[in-house]
Amino acid sequence: MTAKIIDGKEFAARVRAKVGEHVTRLKADNNITPGLAVVLVGEDPASQVYVRSKGKMTLEVGMKSVEHKLDVETPEADLLALIDQLNNDPEIHGILVQLPLPKHLDEDLVINSISPAKDVDGFHISNVGLLGTGQKSMVPCTPLGCLMMLRDHHGSISGMDAVVIGRSNIVGKPMAQLLLNDSATVTIAHSRTKDLADVVRRADIVVAAVGRPEMVPGDWIKPGATVIDVGINRLDAPEKGEGKTKLVGDVHFESCAAVAGAITPVPGGVGPMTIACLLANTVTACCRANGLAEPEGLTA
């Protein structure tokens, strides 16, 4: 069996196009432009690239994009004051503080100072609680992207057996909750799970989000299962030349693709969906703030 490749790049382009259509309608019908503010503290190179990409795509879909770049030594009080200002700005519908933060800043305190209605990352404790109880919330972008791809591929995942490998607050736990809310039967597995291979082998859906390169081999996969690989790991690639590296996921792609029914590649799978869902969340937040119907197909 050769698995169908779930093309995250192409799917993300479709999501961004839908977002763009909603933004155009909001402007034309309601004279409202969704606004996203991104706050970057310090000069982490990977974060800078990510923030630039977010800003570019925000503008491409017609939204307002605001960036606040703060010095690495910025006092916590100053960052909290900026967040308070953005919370009270009616033209800003989404606020994202780029993580990780410098060590002198309390990430939990900073995240929980964002208004839950503008928390487009879905990390605020109120949104975590709402998601966990099946209520309307802002949903973390990466799990939302995974869910969108699963719904698109399967139509319905009701009654399917799903295993999430990884229990992080950013991906593993919210992913499990989203699958549960869609009536899948869900197991959260992790590094201490006994007989992990046997647990994974029974799954119709495997979401690998453990942060260990190529940890899941093909003989762990049930024939015909759908594999969503959230991992992004950089490994040395001497075959490409001295000092060269390559990106790999948390599953061993070749062996899993030979068994699975469908699989996301790395790169080009889940990754592109994260920013697309950030844009989708900003439109959703804008609609909710203005008492308008939520965009169809862009929320959980």
Side-chain angles (χ1 to χ4, degrees):
M1 178 183 294
T2 303
K4 175 188 175 183
I5 304 300
I6 299 176
D7 187 340
K9 200 171 178 183
E10 186 272 334
F11 194 91
R14 278 194 273 150
V15 171
R16 291 196 306 272
K18 278 187 189 176
V19 169
E21 290 168 10
H22 283 291
V23 171
T24 299
R25 278 200 292 274
L26 283 167
K27 288 178 177 179
D29 298 346
N30 306 97
N31 197 29
I32 298 169
T33 300
L36 173 64
V38 177
V39 180
L40 175 64
V41 185
E43 298 181 354
D44 178 76
S47 292
Q48 286 183 321
V49 170
Y50 198 43
V51 166
R52 274 198 302 271
S53 182
K54 287 172 181 172
K56 179 172 175 282
M57 291 188 186
T58 303
L59 293 173
E60 282 176 357
V61 296
M63 291 187 196
K64 176 180 179 177
S65 175
V66 177
E67 290 180 13
H68 292 273
K69 295 181 179 177
L70 307 181
D71 186 80
V72 69
E73 301 294 340
T74 296
E76 193 167 79
D78 290 0
L79 175 57
L80 294 176
L82 171 61
I83 292 170
D84 185 58
Q85 175 191 321
L86 295 171
N87 282 339
N88 291 291
D89 185 341
E91 294 188 359
I92 297 299
H93 304 97
I95 302 169
L96 183 147
V97 177
Q98 183 65 40
L99 303 178
L101 290 172
K103 287 188 170 31
H104 70 284
L105 300 173
D106 182 335
E107 283 193 0
D108 288 338
L109 177 65
V110 170
I111 288 166
N112 290 319
S113 71
I114 299 170
S115 165
K118 296 188 178 187
D119 167 39
V120 285
D121 253 343
F123 295 162
H124 191 288
I125 190 66
S126 293
N127 282 318
V128 173
L130 290 167
L131 177 61
T133 51
Q135 300 180 67
K136 188 184 290 185
S137 68
M138 298 307 302
V139 179
C141 301
T142 300
L144 178 58
C146 295
L147 181 70
M148 285 182 179
M149 289 192 288
L150 285 167
R151 285 174 171 171
D152 182 71
H153 179 68
H154 287 287
S156 170
I157 59 174
S158 177
M160 298 181 77
D161 198 336
V163 171
V164 179
I165 311 172
R167 51 180 167 175
S168 73
N169 292 331
I170 293 173
V171 181
K173 290 175 184 174
M175 186 75 248
Q177 193 60 59
L178 287 171
L179 290 165
L180 192 61
N181 290 350
D182 263 26
S183 299
T185 300
V186 184
T187 301
I188 302 179
H190 46 79
S191 59
R192 297 192 181 183
T193 299
K194 291 182 179 178
D195 302 320
L196 179 58
D198 288 338
V199 171
V200 176
R201 278 190 196 105
R202 69 167 186 256
D204 305 306
I205 295 168
V206 177
V207 181
V210 73
R212 291 176 59 183
E214 300 182 327
M215 172 184 164
V216 180
D219 64 5
W220 286 18
I221 303 300
K222 176 181 177 180
T226 300
V227 179
I228 305 292
D229 191 350
V230 181
I232 301 177
N233 309 285
R234 196 170 287 279
L235 295 181
D236 292 334
E239 70 276 9
K240 291 184 176 182
E242 189 177 345
K244 296 291 184 181
T245 60
K246 62 181 178 181
L247 287 179
V248 300
D250 288 352
V251 310
H252 185 271
F253 182 81
E254 288 78 12
S255 62
C256 289
V259 182
I263 190 170
T264 58
V266 176
V270 173
M273 286 297 294
T274 300
I275 293 181
C277 288
L278 172 68
L279 303 177
N281 276 351
T282 304
V283 171
T284 297
C286 176
C287 291
R288 289 176 181 173
N290 289 280
L292 301 171
E294 293 181 18
E296 221 172 291
L298 296 180
T299 59

